Amino acid sequence: MTPTELAADFVSRNVELLKMTVSDFSDQDFLTRPVPGANHAAWQVGHLVGSAHHMVGAVAPGVIPDAFASYGEKYSGKTAGSDDPKQFGSRAELLEAFAQAYAAVVNWATHLTPEEMNKPTPGGMAQFAPTVGHLVLMNGAHISMHLGQLQVLRRKLGKPLLF
């Protein structure tokens, strides 16, 4: 396995772990906060879609369909405190957008050459992901961070432990 394949696989596996973690959530579960001030699953999944579009779009515009561009604003820090179900997509809509966006990330990452992985990222992106390779890994790490938060929500909801 090449480093590029490994990075793409890391993202892919985190996508599957997140989908497994919320597979038994209802629409209502998706709007439950594990503790006051914590983000609910609907916001977190939408935020991941918007973040992927922003991050990957900075180095490879068009990889993630522009239909997901609105997720960055819809699932921003400004909306994180909202509990209005009309403001967020349904569980099914959010998970479909998540699956499509990250399938595009994984497909793109799988085909990167070592030279492309070493290219610097632009502007402020370079502070947390100095190269395209770092950016690929950051997508997987970002999912992992939210995955931990969703595991706490599973416990609050009384869902069975998965791992």
Side-chain angles (χ1 to χ4, degrees), residues 66-91:
D66 283 337
F68 299 123
S70 65
Y71 279 68
E73 185 65 29
K74 190 173 180 180
Y75 298 92
S76 69
K78 295 175 190 171
T79 64
S82 175
D83 291 318
D84 181 359
K86 293 179 221 141
Q87 191 167 1
F88 305 103
S90 71
R91 174 191 169 278

Side-chain angles (χ1 to χ4, degrees), residues 42-55:
W43 185 88
Q44 290 186 61
V45 173
H47 165 73
L48 285 166
V49 173
S51 294
H53 184 273
H54 171 73
M55 285 192 284

Side-chain angles (χ1 to χ4, degrees), residues 92-117:
E93 292 166 341
L94 287 165
L95 288 175
E96 181 60 28
F98 177 78
Q100 288 180 24
Y102 281 94
V105 172
V106 170
N107 183 55
W108 165 72
T110 300
H111 296 95
L112 291 170
T113 66
E115 294 76 27
E116 290 168 322
M117 291 283 277

Side-chain angles (χ1 to χ4, degrees), residues 3 14 20 34 39-40 50 76 87 99 109-110 138-139 143 154:
N14 278 301
M20 180 175 49
N39 297 319
H40 49 65
S76 69
Q87 191 167 1
T110 300
M138 185 58 70
N139 273 273
I143 295 169
R154 280 192 72 74

Side-chain angles (χ1 to χ4, degrees), residues 117-138:
M117 291 283 277
N118 285 321
K119 281 187 179 177
T121 55
M125 192 80 58
Q127 294 176 2
F128 66 92
T131 68
V132 170
H134 287 96
L135 187 84
V136 172
L137 292 174
M138 185 58 70

